[in-house]
Amino acid sequence: MQKKPVARRLTGIDAARGVALFGMMSTHVLPLYAPGTTDATWTALLFSGRASGLFAVVAGIGLALLTGGRSPHRDRALTADRRGIAVRAVVIALLGLLLGGVETNIAIILFHYGVLFLVALPFTGLRARGLAAWAAGWLLLAPVAAHLLRPIVTAGVTPPTVGGNPMFEHFLVPQTLAADIFLTGYYPVLQWLGFILVGMAIGRLDLARLGVQLALLATGLVAAVGARFVSAQLLGPAGGMAALLQTPDGRRYPLEEMLDVGLAGVDQSGSWWWLAVSAPHSGTPLDLAHVAGCAAALIAVCLLLTRRFPRALLPLSAPGSMTLTLYSLHICVMSWADQLVPLPDPVPLLWLQIAAAVALGILFQRLDARGPLELLASGATAAAREGRADVRR
C-alpha cells in the first residue's frame, strides 16, 4: 500500500525534470533575441534561467529522497548516503569536465552540478523545517555576499573566470577555477546552492498528499509573482533602473531589454541597486526567489497531473528519468551541428532532438532499463554506499 504514492510522486518529479531538460535544450538551440532586435523571444521569456534553475531544484528533491525523504536517515545510514552522494557528485563532475572539452558555446552545468552535490552534503540530515529556514536565508543572503565578494575576487584573481566551460587543464589555475565555480561563472555555486536547498526542503514533504501539492503550487506562484512585482517597484517608482543606467555596464549594454533574457557576463558592481533586479542569471535575491517559485509551482503541477494517472506526462517523465544521458547526448549533437556549413535550421533541429529524447526515454522505460550514464552513476553510488566495488542491482 505504500508503494503506489511513491511511484506517482517520482513520475511527477521525473516529468518536471523532463521540462527542465527540454527547456535548457530550447535555450541552447533557439535564439533568445528576435533577429535584428533586442526583443526577447518566447524561448527566453519562458525558459531563460528558469529551466536550469528547475533542474537544480529537482536535483535537491533527489538528494532529499536519497537520504530518507520525509524521515531523513541518521547515523550509519546517513553516512552511507553521504558517501554515495559524494561519489555520484564526482562521477557527474568528471563527465562535466569531459564535455567541457567539446567545442560548443553551451554553458555546461554538470561540473557545477557535481560541486553543488558536495556542498549540500552537510544539509542532508536536516528535516523540512530546518531546510526551509536554510533555503530562505540562503536565497536572501548569498547574493549579498556575492555582491560584496565579486569585486574583491575579480581584483585579486587573474583571470577571474575560466572564460568557458571548466576542463581538466583549469586545475592548473586553481584560484581561477574556484572563483569561476563559486562566484564569477555562469552557474555560481554560492547562489545556486539556494536552489538545491529549496529542492531538499520540498523533497522532505509528503509529496503524495493533495494538500501538500496544492500548498506547493500556491507558495510557488506567490514567490514567483511576488519577486517580479517587488523588482518592478524597486526598479521603476523607487528609481533603481535610473541608478543602474549610470553604472559602467548599465551604460554599455541595453540593460532594460536584457532584463528579460539574462545578465550573464554583465558586471553587477558599482551600485547596490543591482540586487533589485530579477533578471535571469543575475543571481540576486529576487531572481533566485522567482526561479525557485516557478520551479516549485511547475513541480506541483506535474505532481497534480500525475496524481491519478502516473503515465499522463509520459513524453516528459520518460526522458526525465534519464536526463544525464540525454543532456550529454544533446551537448554532443549541438557541437556537431555547430560545425555544419550552413548551420541547420534551429527549429527542426530542436524538435528532432526532443522527439529522439522522448523515443529513447520511452524505449528505455519499456525495457525497464536505465540510461547508460544513469547506470554508471547509480552503480558507483551503490558501491560507495555499501563500501564495496561490486554491488548487484
Side-chain angles (χ1 to χ4, degrees):
M1 298 298 293
Q2 296 294 326
K3 292 182 179 180
K4 196 172 182 182
V6 173
R8 290 173 184 167
R9 178 189 65 190
L10 292 177
T11 300
I13 292 170
D14 279 342
R17 194 183 291 110
V19 173
L21 172 67
F22 293 150
M24 287 191 291
M25 289 170 60
S26 298
T27 62
H28 297 162
V29 180
L30 301 178
L32 301 181
Y33 291 99
T37 73
T38 56
D39 296 331
T41 62
W42 279 108
T43 301
L45 293 174
L46 287 174
F47 296 122
S48 186
R50 297 182 185 89
S52 51
L54 172 62
F55 200 51
V57 171
V58 175
I61 295 177
L63 288 180
L65 297 178
L66 282 171
T67 54
R70 293 173 58 195
S71 301
H73 293 159
R74 292 285 183 265
D75 303 324
R76 291 184 179 180
L78 180 59
T79 299
D81 290 338
R82 287 171 169 166
R83 190 165 56 237
I85 291 169
V87 170
R88 178 186 291 264
V90 170
V91 170
I92 293 173
L94 287 174
L95 178 60
L97 290 173
L98 288 172
L99 289 175
V102 174
E103 188 172 346
T104 179
N105 292 322
I106 296 171
I108 300 171
I109 197 174
L110 293 183
F111 186 78
H112 306 76
Y113 200 58
V115 173
L116 282 167
F117 273 34
L118 294 175
V119 176
L121 286 176
F123 302 95
T124 50
L126 296 179
R127 293 185 176 273
R129 286 189 179 182
L131 284 166
W134 271 101
W138 208 276
L139 295 180
L140 177 64
L141 298 178
V144 177
H147 184 81
L148 293 170
L149 291 173
R150 268 194 306 263
I152 299 173
V153 170
T154 301
V157 177
T158 304
T161 69
V162 298
N165 289 311
M167 295 183 286
F168 287 104
E169 52 262 40
H170 291 138
F171 283 91
L172 299 174
V173 283
Q175 299 93 334
T176 294
L177 180 61
D180 185 283
I181 296 302
F182 285 92
L183 203 60
T184 60
Y186 202 80
Y187 305 109
V189 167
L190 178 59
Q191 292 107 302
W192 277 61
L193 179 60
F195 293 144
I196 299 290
L197 294 174
V198 168
M200 291 176 68
I202 294 173
R204 290 282 186 246
L205 303 175
D206 186 359
L207 294 176
R209 289 182 55 192
L210 177 61
V212 171
Q213 294 168 1
L214 292 174
L216 185 61
L217 175 61
T219 302
L221 289 175
V222 168
V225 175
R228 280 297 173 93
F229 176 79
V230 171
S231 177
Q233 295 304 305
L234 291 174
L235 295 180
M241 179 56 68
L244 292 179
L245 292 176
Q246 300 306 311
T247 63
D249 274 25
R251 291 190 292 266
R252 184 178 299 118
Y253 296 106
L255 191 59
E256 294 182 79
E257 291 82 357
M258 292 178 68
L259 292 180
D260 290 326
V261 179
L263 296 185
V266 175
D267 180 14
Q268 298 176 51
S269 62
S271 173
W272 284 96
W273 282 109
W274 285 110
L275 295 177
V277 305
S278 60
H281 294 293
S282 59
T284 68
L286 296 173
D287 169 37
L288 300 183
H290 173 75
V291 171
C294 288
L298 189 279
I299 291 164
V301 168
C302 290
L303 290 169
L304 287 165
L305 291 176
T306 56
R307 179 176 178 80
R308 291 187 178 275
F309 305 100
R311 298 169 67 85
L313 299 178
L314 185 63
L316 293 172
S317 60
S321 67
M322 51 182 293
T323 50
L324 185 59
T325 295
L326 293 176
Y327 178 87
S328 302
L329 183 60
H330 163 68
I331 298 298
C332 295
V333 169
M334 290 306 299
S335 176
W336 166 77
D338 286 342
Q339 311 306 314
L340 298 179
V341 180
L343 293 174
D345 188 330
V347 175
L349 178 62
L350 172 64
W351 284 108
L352 283 172
Q353 291 186 71
I354 290 177
V358 172
L360 284 172
I362 293 175
L363 174 63
F364 273 79
Q365 191 172 95
R366 295 284 187 182
L367 296 174
D368 195 23
R370 308 197 69 174
L373 294 180
E374 284 73 20
L375 189 61
L376 171 65
S378 63
T381 299
R385 282 180 52 85
E386 298 297 327
R388 62 180 186 266
D390 54 332
V391 174
R392 292 183 181 179
R393 291 187 52 78

